[in-house]
Amino acid sequence: MSRRRMMRLGMSMRGLGYHPAAWRHPSVPADGTLRFEHYVRSAQAAERGLFDMIFFADGIGIRERDEPKGSLARSGYELVEMEPMTLLPALAPLTKHIGLVTTASTTYNEPYHVARKFATLDLISGGRAGWNIVTSWSQAEAQNFNRAEHLDYDTRYERAAEFVEVVKGLWDSWEPDALIYDRASGVFYDESKMHLLNHKGKHFQVMGPLNVAGMPQGRPILVQAGASDPGREIAAASADVVYAAQDNVASAKAYYDDVKGRMAKYGREPGALKIMPGVRTVVGRTREEAQAKFDQLQDLLDPLVGLARVYASLGDLTGFDLDGPVPEPQRPPQVRSSTERLLARARAQNLTIRQLYQQSVAGGFCLIGTAQDIVDGLQEWFEAGACDGFNVLPTHLPESCEDFVDHVTPELQRRGLFRTAYEGATLRENLGLKPHLNRYSAAGAVSASAAE
Amino acid sequence: MSRRRMMRLGMSMRGLGYHPAAWRHPSVPADGTLRFEHYVRSAQAAERGLFDMIFFADGIGIRERDEPKGSLARSGYELVEMEPMTLLPALAPLTKHIGLVTTASTTYNEPYHVARKFATLDLISGGRAGWNIVTSWSQAEAQNFNRAEHLDYDTRYERAAEFVEVVKGLWDSWEPDALIYDRASGVFYDESKMHLLNHKGKHFQVMGPLNVAGMPQGRPILVQAGASDPGREIAAASADVVYAAQDNVASAKAYYDDVKGRMAKYGREPGALKIMPGVRTVVGRTREEAQAKFDQLQDLLDPLVGLARVYASLGDLTGFDLDGPVPEPQRPPQVRSSTERLLARARAQNLTIRQLYQQSVAGGFCLIGTAQDIVDGLQEWFEAGACDGFNVLPTHLPESCEDFVDHVTPELQRRGLFRTAYEGATLRENLGLKPHLNRYSAAGAVSASAAE
């Protein structure tokens, strides 16, 4: 009898959680993003809940703007926080099993640094490193890196594709048996098994070899958002995990089938890629308690912070009655497509300004209810073939993470949808992915078998 | 009565130690540079010995060349190792007091990344981060970062000076009392105390603010080699610690007086900079035992690896009798200045080829003997006003570090030259440096007092 397919779970741990009023919640340490113990507590809770990985989004700058004026100082959201590539190694010795995945931008980094750092994280953590590949998008980040404007979309994606190839090449610099350490003969490594990359491309020229070797996972796990068309191609070609963003099961299934369908042309089995959409969850012992928990956060959302959420689409609404109707934009909006979408929704549902910005906070796939309700929702997607698991977006930390682990995880386990113990020693093994095969060992294996 | 001036000590922990044959020593884990526990053991030993800091040199590539052919595979030295900016955060939760200092190159990094990562390390470690500022020099590194040749000296130093100013500016983005966290009013930070850097220079344009704040040290400690003339100026202007390289007390004192003498024009007291030359130590219960320990390593030095050490100056000597005289170079050498110096020394001391390359391994300030001998040597420099302390270069790890802590440290303490417990909570406090004053708080304090 074949083993039942199990759900994969990631815990998104950026900042104080994904609700912008989280910092005002009485259970949340408002200064937590600058306190190591805050991250330790959530990471250890996620590990207690047998999550495959914790996941850190990142921005290399403060992306939010102070629009309307005064909103930024009231935001408390993605303002000051630890740099995750420095934070994750520190979490490694305080955890044992959980994967440690973080973001590094291909637009504002160099592949040699990224290859070295993630390889080192893999060594320190005993094979639990993952790299979330992003290209960055904000002008705020560009302005911290010598540019007035961010790179155009096509150039960013072209650079990203080459960047990833260079990093993968560097990770293969040393075949797994290259390091001999033969004290007696004095030979440290086998020269025939160390390989210079000698990459000469449009964006990068990188000689190699990498000065790190021996990663427990062969190479770290590659995570990608894979939303746009070129993003989907990179995911199909290279990613081990996709962090998807879908808001209903039909679109999630269409996305899932599309990306998995692109894999064959890269010689990859569908199982080699795990597609995990984000999901916001608020769990209570009753539906009423869950809703009250969420309402408490919504009530803590400062109106200026709420108005900042719709500023780019609708302009400055500070002069208007928050409990009145959404007015037509006074000036041409910055982001026209979302203007029309938001206005249409406001009109269709007869929303006030306050209701509109509160809705924007709860966007995407959002489950509020009992553990049974939440598992019903997750199970529906999972069994419909719309995903391989989920990335949980907690509203506020550490409480939402602990709530999930204490209430939702046991229900998933009762239904046989989720592990009851870690299966493997590495993130790769826990995700059910095959071992990485070094390109040179693989070539050697092929030529050896051809010679038989 | 004024408190006696105390020696500062750093432990240089790169790789398996500073003797190139360290990996062949029976006490050394040959694969230690890829094993986290190797670093943990030495770091914890150094902390047991009350060292101010552990220090990691770094190279962003394999700088050694395979000259003569076959030497690189026998080297085992600075080949594969953990990336220190990823390693140090992982050591933070496993230590409590010791400073965590590592290298980041101003030539192949961006200031925003460096500012963020070291600020985060300072937060994670509770105020123990230090940045060793280097400009890199090798062609091997250039070729890993899109360049055929490394940047010329003047450009590297000009870029370095601007880089450091940008990082320091970013670190001051948030005044210490900028973050209010006022849940009731909804105000997260005081807008008047967050500052955009808006740097527009020759090499960098960086808007800021940094998205990290609240460093326990105000800002991390700045370490610099300060060897060349522009390097000495940067040290006098900005550094908290200089990692000097001097081989005798007279030149060390001249260097010390020169650098300290340059500080006044930057408005700095001499005590604001700690000058700590490197010292190689081999300690035994007797002088004979110490010498035997060192000889054991010298005997393990593979001739090809030894010849690689003098290749750049003397060319390929693989055809010659190692126990015969040093021949004249066959072809013009790559590095003419050291050729003449090495040849002159070989002639003056009547050295064989083997003796010459063995000497090059023991270069600089080197103390081999009993704990009393070693402390005599350190005390001489310290009391001559040639230094504020030392950076210890262990021959092989963890043994040399443990030897120092078990034998030399107690003798230093007996003579009242070294602490018997950590004095402060942060590296800055343990080094006896004044608190960092945020530039904007300082300006505010001045203008407030002028207004009185």
Side-chain angles (χ1 to χ4, degrees):
Chain A
M1 208 179 92
S2 77
R3 229 169 108 209
R4 180 155 178 199
R5 181 170 158 252
M6 287 282 171
M7 209 179 268
R8 314 295 167 189
L9 288 180
M11 176 63 67
S12 292
M13 263 185 52
R14 184 171 188 186
L16 300 170
Y18 282 79
H19 194 287
W23 75 272
R24 298 180 72 182
H25 192 280
S27 77
V28 172
D31 61 351
T33 58
L34 302 177
R35 301 185 74 85
F36 182 50
E37 60 269 30
H38 164 74
Y39 298 100
V40 173
R41 182 166 165 185
S42 293
Q44 291 181 339
E47 182 165 88
R48 178 162 57 80
L50 307 175
F51 271 66
D52 290 271
M53 56 193 175
I54 55 175
F55 175 95
F56 283 82
D58 187 42
I60 329 165
I62 296 174
R63 289 168 173 163
E64 289 187 85
R65 294 305 188 183
D66 191 27
E67 294 166 334
K69 182 101 191 80
S71 62
L72 193 61
R74 309 177 82 81
S75 150
Y77 186 64
E78 301 183 2
L79 286 175
V80 288
E81 57 190 339
M82 293 205 188
E83 193 277 319
M85 196 65 232
T86 310
L87 173 62
L88 279 186
L91 293 174
L94 303 180
T95 51
K96 283 207 181 89
H97 305 283
I98 199 161
L100 305 169
V101 180
T102 188
T103 300
S105 167
T106 56
T107 301
Y108 302 114
N109 278 294
E110 290 288 334
Y112 201 90
H113 286 312
V114 168
R116 268 187 102 197
K117 287 175 198 293
F118 281 94
T120 301
L121 180 60
D122 207 51
L123 286 164
I124 289 171
S125 64
R128 298 187 278 138
W131 170 30
N132 179 42
I133 305 159
V134 303
T135 66
S136 306
W137 52 269
S138 76
Q139 191 164 322
E141 288 161 289
Q143 290 176 341
N144 287 331
F145 291 87
N146 306 332
R147 293 180 185 279
E149 301 287 335
H150 56 271
L151 282 180
D152 67 90
Y153 183 90
D154 289 345
T155 307
R156 289 209 311 277
Y157 270 82
E158 186 185 80
R159 182 181 157 106
E162 187 181 335
F163 193 115
V164 172
E165 285 313 303
V166 173
V167 170
K168 287 166 71 180
L170 288 170
W171 280 337
D172 277 351
S173 295
W174 304 81
E175 294 184 45
D177 54 351
L179 295 163
I180 300 171
Y181 308 118
D182 187 346
R183 282 192 176 90
S185 70
V187 177
F188 192 80
Y189 71 84
D190 178 346
E191 286 180 287
S192 70
K193 294 184 174 175
M194 186 269 267
H195 304 275
L196 290 179
L197 184 63
N198 203 9
H199 173 86
K200 290 177 179 157
K202 180 171 173 187
H203 298 277
F204 304 105
Q205 298 81 46
V206 180
M207 179 68 82
L210 194 66
N211 56 358
V212 191
M215 285 165 276
Q217 292 187 108
R219 65 160 172 75
I221 295 300
L222 297 176
V223 183
Q224 221 246 342
S228 63
D229 193 72
R232 291 177 190 209
E233 281 304 319
I234 293 178
S238 290
D240 301 305
V241 171
V242 159
Y243 192 133
Q246 300 292 335
D247 58 10
N248 66 76
V249 64
S251 71
K253 175 148 179 56
Y255 173 84
Y256 186 91
D257 292 340
D258 176 65
V259 174
K260 297 251 174 170
R262 295 175 191 233
M263 294 175 70
K265 67 172 175 285
Y266 300 105
R268 302 182 72 202
E269 298 287 327
L273 171 64
K274 306 300 174 189
I275 296 181
M276 300 166 64
V279 59
R280 293 162 200 267
T281 63
V282 182
V283 62
R285 280 165 301 181
T286 62
R287 286 180 190 175
E288 293 67 32
E289 187 184 81
Q291 190 61 47
K293 277 189 185 181
F294 188 66
D295 291 345
Q296 182 184 14
L297 280 163
Q298 294 286 53
D299 290 344
L300 289 170
L301 185 61
D302 187 286
L304 267 177
V305 176
L307 294 176
R309 290 245 147 185
V310 295
Y311 182 93
S313 307
L314 301 175
D316 188 351
L317 301 181
T318 44
F320 296 87
D321 177 8
L322 297 180
D323 300 308
V326 179
E328 290 297 316
Q330 306 297 297
R331 285 176 299 186
Q334 294 171 18
V335 188
R336 195 174 302 267
S337 63
S338 64
T339 306
E340 287 157 16
R341 192 166 41 78
L342 280 183
L343 277 179
R345 202 202 307 157
R347 301 286 176 261
Q349 301 178 39
N350 201 23
L351 299 177
T352 65
I353 293 175
R354 191 190 307 275
Q355 287 167 332
L356 184 68
Y357 71 62
Q358 285 186 340
Q359 268 201 6
S360 80
V361 167
F365 183 26
C366 182
L367 296 169
I368 300 172
T370 64
Q372 287 70 30
D373 293 334
I374 287 171
V375 175
D376 285 348
L378 301 178
Q379 186 168 6
E380 183 198 352
W381 283 42
F382 186 61
E383 294 186 346
C387 64
D388 298 303
F390 299 92
N391 280 296
V392 175
L393 296 155
T395 51
H396 58 293
L397 288 169
E399 193 173 74
S400 303
C401 174
E402 292 171 346
D403 275 354
F404 192 100
V405 166
D406 291 336
H407 302 291
V408 182
T409 303
E411 180 63 22
L412 285 167
Q413 291 168 327
R414 262 192 293 278
R415 300 193 197 178
L417 292 165
F418 191 61
R419 66 166 62 89
T420 53
Y422 284 104
E423 303 88 9
T426 65
L427 173 57
R428 178 179 298 279
E429 288 171 8
N430 284 322
L431 286 171
L433 297 169
K434 289 187 183 157
H436 171 67
L437 201 55
N438 182 291
R439 64 186 65 183
Y440 303 104
S441 311
V446 168
S447 74
S449 94
E452 274 171 26
Chain B
M1 207 180 90
S2 78
R3 228 171 106 209
R4 179 152 181 203
R5 180 171 159 253
M6 288 281 172
M7 208 179 268
R8 313 294 167 190
L9 288 179
M11 176 63 68
S12 291
M13 262 183 55
R14 185 173 187 184
L16 300 170
Y18 282 79
H19 195 288
W23 74 272
R24 297 181 71 183
H25 192 280
S27 77
V28 172
D31 61 351
T33 59
L34 302 177
R35 301 186 73 84
F36 182 50
E37 60 268 30
H38 164 74
Y39 298 99
V40 173
R41 183 166 164 185
S42 293
Q44 291 181 340
E47 182 164 88
R48 179 162 57 79
L50 308 174
F51 271 67
D52 290 87
M53 55 194 177
I54 54 176
F55 175 95
F56 283 81
D58 188 41
I60 328 165
I62 295 174
R63 289 168 173 163
E64 289 187 83
R65 293 305 188 182
D66 192 28
E67 296 166 334
K69 182 102 191 79
S71 62
L72 193 61
R74 309 178 82 81
S75 151
Y77 186 63
E78 301 183 0
L79 286 176
V80 288
E81 56 191 338
M82 293 206 188
E83 192 276 321
M85 195 66 232
T86 309
L87 173 62
L88 279 186
L91 294 174
L94 303 180
T95 53
K96 282 206 180 88
H97 305 284
I98 199 160
L100 306 169
V101 180
T102 187
T103 299
S105 167
T106 56
T107 301
Y108 302 115
N109 277 294
E110 290 289 332
Y112 202 90
H113 286 312
V114 167
R116 267 186 103 196
K117 287 175 198 291
F118 280 94
T120 300
L121 181 60
D122 207 51
L123 287 165
I124 289 171
S125 64
R128 298 187 279 138
W131 170 30
N132 179 43
I133 306 159
V134 303
T135 66
S136 305
W137 52 267
S138 76
Q139 189 163 324
E141 287 161 290
Q143 290 176 341
N144 287 332
F145 291 87
N146 306 332
R147 292 180 185 279
E149 300 288 334
H150 56 274
L151 282 181
D152 68 90
Y153 183 90
D154 289 344
T155 307
R156 289 209 311 276
Y157 271 81
E158 186 184 79
R159 181 181 158 106
E162 188 181 334
F163 192 115
V164 172
E165 285 313 303
V166 173
V167 170
K168 287 167 70 180
L170 288 170
W171 281 337
D172 277 352
S173 296
W174 303 81
E175 294 184 46
D177 54 351
L179 296 163
I180 300 171
Y181 307 118
D182 187 347
R183 282 193 176 90
S185 71
V187 177
F188 192 80
Y189 71 86
D190 178 346
E191 287 181 287
S192 70
K193 295 184 174 175
M194 186 270 264
H195 304 276
L196 290 179
L197 183 63
N198 203 9
H199 173 86
K200 291 176 178 156
K202 180 171 171 186
H203 298 277
F204 303 105
Q205 298 82 47
V206 179
M207 179 68 83
L210 194 66
N211 55 358
V212 191
M215 285 166 275
Q217 292 188 108
R219 65 160 172 75
I221 295 300
L222 296 177
V223 183
Q224 220 247 340
S228 63
D229 193 72
R232 291 177 190 210
E233 281 304 319
I234 294 178
S238 291
D240 302 305
V241 171
V242 159
Y243 192 132
Q246 299 292 335
D247 58 10
N248 67 76
V249 64
S251 71
K253 177 150 177 55
Y255 173 84
Y256 186 90
D257 292 341
D258 175 66
V259 174
K260 296 253 174 167
R262 296 174 190 233
M263 294 175 71
K265 67 173 177 282
Y266 299 106
R268 301 183 73 203
E269 297 288 328
L273 171 64
K274 307 301 175 191
I275 296 181
M276 300 166 64
V279 58
R280 293 161 200 268
T281 63
V282 182
V283 62
R285 281 165 301 181
T286 62
R287 286 179 190 175
E288 293 68 32
E289 187 184 83
Q291 190 60 49
K293 277 189 186 182
F294 188 66
D295 292 344
Q296 181 184 13
L297 280 163
Q298 293 287 50
D299 291 343
L300 289 170
L301 186 60
D302 188 287
L304 267 178
V305 176
L307 293 176
R309 291 245 147 185
V310 295
Y311 182 93
S313 307
L314 301 176
D316 188 352
L317 301 181
T318 43
F320 295 87
D321 177 6
L322 297 180
D323 298 309
V326 178
E328 290 297 316
Q330 306 298 298
R331 283 175 300 185
Q334 294 172 17
V335 188
R336 195 173 302 268
S337 63
S338 65
T339 306
E340 286 157 17
R341 192 166 42 78
L342 280 182
L343 276 179
R345 203 205 304 159
R347 300 286 175 262
Q349 300 177 39
N350 202 24
L351 299 177
T352 64
I353 293 174
R354 191 190 306 275
Q355 287 167 332
L356 185 68
Y357 72 62
Q358 284 186 340
Q359 268 200 6
S360 80
V361 166
F365 183 25
C366 182
L367 296 169
I368 300 172
T370 65
Q372 287 72 28
D373 294 333
I374 287 170
V375 174
D376 286 348
L378 301 178
Q379 187 168 5
E380 183 197 352
W381 283 43
F382 187 60
E383 294 186 344
C387 65
D388 297 305
F390 299 92
N391 279 297
V392 176
L393 295 156
T395 51
H396 58 293
L397 288 169
E399 194 173 73
S400 303
C401 174
E402 292 171 346
D403 276 354
F404 192 101
V405 166
D406 291 336
H407 303 292
V408 181
T409 303
E411 181 62 22
L412 285 167
Q413 291 169 327
R414 263 192 292 278
R415 299 192 197 178
L417 292 165
F418 192 62
R419 66 166 61 90
T420 53
Y422 285 103
E423 303 87 11
T426 66
L427 173 58
R428 180 179 297 278
E429 288 170 9
N430 285 321
L431 286 171
L433 298 169
K434 289 187 182 155
H436 170 68
L437 201 55
N438 182 290
R439 64 186 64 184
Y440 302 104
S441 312
V446 168
S447 74
S449 93
E452 274 171 26

